[in-house]
Amino acid sequence: VQLQASGGGLVRPGGSLRLSCAASGITLDYHAIAWFRQAPGKEREGVSCINARGDNTYYTDSVKGRFTISRDSAKNTVYLQMDSLKDEDTAVYYCATHRILCIPAAGVLGTPNYWGQGTLVTVSS
């Protein structure tokens, strides 16, 4: 199983980025998928997730209304559209899946077995 995260980069505050997580060796339609991030000196936090059926999502409070998670079954890829980016969104972003649940009111339950390599998002003027 491989998860290939991409799409990070340097963006000015207020800008947008779309992260991608392309999977191989696993069919994402059968699993909840999550995006985590870890900023320098901070603990890793769950940012967003989507359940296996794709009909429930979760966003941490700090990104609600700005980030959107989605899935393309044909491409076996999950996306994180990030708009109105702020300095505090700067972090390495990881996608992860397998053996987790995505609960709309609570976030990610469980510890993912599979992780992408991370993609760096830097928001700076």
Side-chain angles (χ1 to χ4, degrees):
V1 175
Q2 288 192 334
L3 300 177
Q4 183 70 37
S6 62
L10 174 63
V11 63
R12 295 182 183 276
S16 297
L17 284 174
R18 188 178 78 157
L19 305 184
S20 299
C21 178
S24 58
I26 188 170
T27 301
L28 295 183
D29 280 357
Y30 301 145
H31 302 277
I33 317 298
W35 285 96
F36 294 83
R37 68 184 179 187
Q38 187 163 21
K42 295 187 177 181
E43 292 187 356
R44 184 178 63 203
E45 67 167 335
V47 176
S48 179
C49 61
I50 186 167
N51 69 344
R53 291 185 301 187
D55 58 356
N56 278 324
T57 57
Y58 162 84
Y59 300 94
T60 192
D61 286 346
S62 62
V63 309
K64 282 181 182 176
R66 301 188 297 120
F67 290 12
T68 304
I69 191 169
S70 63
R71 182 167 59 198
D72 185 331
S73 298
K75 295 182 178 179
N76 207 28
T77 299
V78 172
Y79 302 98
L80 186 68
Q81 177 67 41
M82 306 187 297
D83 298 318
S84 302
L85 283 161
K86 304 177 180 180
D87 290 352
E88 52 264 41
D89 295 318
T90 295
V92 178
Y93 285 71
Y94 301 90
C95 56
T97 189
H98 200 249
R99 305 252 182 215
I100 60 172
L101 295 176
C102 179
I103 308 298
V108 179
L109 295 185
T111 301
N113 282 347
Y114 303 124
W115 292 81
Q117 82 286 6
T119 184
L120 176 62
V121 172
T122 303
V123 185
S124 175
S125 55

